[in-house]
Amino acid sequence: MTAESPLTWLYAPGDRPRVVARALVSGADVVVIDLEDAVAPDRKAYARAATAELLRDPQPVPVHVRVNAPACPWGEADLAAVAPAGGLAGLAGLRLPKVSSPADVVRVARRTVSAHGGALALYALLETALGIERAHDVATAHPSLRGISIGEEDLRTDLGVRDDAGLDWARSRVVVAARAAGLAPPAQSVHPDTRDLEGLLASCVRGRSLGFLGRAAIHPRQLPVIERAFLPTEEEIERAETVVKAAVGERGAQALPDGRFIDVAVVTAAQRVLSLARRV
């Protein structure tokens, strides 16, 4: 998988350098070093310093850092350490938690643009009802913002949702907002049970049907399951190739020999399938 089209985003706690080192060679498309939820308050300073030290050098895969929310006691210190003036060679992006308004993005973007010349990608995590309501406003807040996604555990708590289906409206809202803003499809939130691979696969299949592309993970064993779920099957590739070949031969709406009707929208969908297949 290419760095430009990641399917797997593996989180690793910033206060555990050995876990981070293993994550970097796990096969994940992107490694996300976490300074927020995965790190206890009394370990924040150590996690921050260890992460900044690691990222002084280039890394084998793109590395993002999930900082603490800038409004909390640790957020500003995180930004000062991992996004200093002049930048860090190993840092590819920042993930901003608990974003609830465009101002949350703009505040960080202005700071990083002045320090990095606009090269640092930002990703907003929507984890509250207010954040979901403002999804499109957040998605269009600043050119440095490259993606939005949901922090489902926090959102579940905020909404008081008991059943997983209770999040489907919010999920669709974020998929639509990303598309309307011209951003890549969002990646799914983590599946918290690292041993429930069947449940993970079923959830990924459901997420793909809703328009998500790829998923965050918290253990390397989840990576091949996620990749398998989001890559097109041989049957899907074959059907897409048939559609694209037919479209080359004749423009406009038409019916294939097997009875399928195709038009511009169907051809566009088929081209997306083939583009995804070529990412491997």
Side-chain angles (χ1 to χ4, degrees):
M1 195 61 50
T2 66
E4 291 76 20
S5 55
L7 291 184
T8 53
W9 311 68
L10 179 60
Y11 276 86
D15 63 337
R16 299 177 65 186
R18 290 184 180 179
V19 175
V20 173
R22 290 197 293 270
L24 291 170
V25 295
S26 66
D29 298 325
V30 178
V31 170
V32 183
I33 301 178
D34 193 10
L35 302 182
E36 195 211 12
D37 287 347
V39 180
D42 63 350
R43 300 274 292 175
K44 297 283 189 186
Y46 171 72
R48 186 183 306 127
T51 299
E53 179 63 29
L54 172 72
L55 296 181
R56 293 186 198 284
D57 300 316
Q59 299 301 315
V61 296
V63 176
H64 293 190
V65 174
R66 180 167 73 171
V67 295
N68 287 274
C72 82
W74 308 289
E76 283 299 323
D78 287 349
L79 290 174
V82 303
L88 295 175
L91 180 65
L94 294 176
R95 298 184 74 79
L96 312 178
K98 300 177 176 60
V99 171
S100 60
S101 74
D104 294 338
V105 175
V106 171
R107 189 180 306 114
V108 176
R110 286 176 176 168
R111 177 171 182 164
T112 56
V113 165
S114 63
H116 299 259
L120 191 59
L122 304 180
Y123 293 80
L125 301 176
L126 308 180
E127 305 180 73
T128 63
L130 185 57
I132 296 297
E133 279 296 303
R134 294 172 170 171
H136 184 259
D137 291 338
V138 170
T140 55
H142 195 276
S144 293
L145 189 76
R146 307 295 171 77
I148 59 175
S149 57
I150 300 178
E152 290 194 355
E153 288 305 311
D154 284 272
L155 182 60
R156 199 185 304 272
T157 299
D158 190 41
L159 297 177
V161 170
R162 294 184 178 182
D163 190 283
D164 187 67
L167 292 178
D168 279 355
W169 182 87
R171 291 164 175 156
S172 293
R173 176 69 178 266
V174 171
V175 169
V176 171
R179 178 60 181 166
L183 301 176
Q188 276 186 278
S189 185
V190 300
H191 186 71
D193 187 341
T194 63
R195 296 189 180 278
D196 178 24
L197 300 185
E198 290 186 4
L200 170 62
L201 178 60
S203 178
C204 288
V205 170
R206 172 67 173 154
R208 185 182 177 194
S209 74
L210 290 173
F212 287 90
L213 181 64
R215 187 161 199 163
I218 53 176
H219 195 284
R221 70 167 64 96
Q222 296 177 315
L223 302 179
V225 177
I226 294 170
E227 192 163 289
R228 176 159 55 97
F230 283 97
L231 286 174
T233 64
E234 291 298 325
E235 180 181 356
E236 289 172 330
I237 294 172
E238 183 178 342
R239 288 168 63 89
E241 288 175 339
T242 299
V243 169
V244 171
K245 288 177 182 177
V248 170
E250 183 176 342
R251 296 184 178 182
Q254 58 179 299
L256 297 179
D258 63 5
R260 282 183 292 158
F261 178 83
I262 65 172
D263 58 11
V264 174
V266 174
V267 174
T268 299
Q271 290 170 334
R272 287 178 179 171
V273 169
L274 296 182
S275 177
L276 183 58
R278 288 193 293 268
R279 300 186 200 197
V280 179

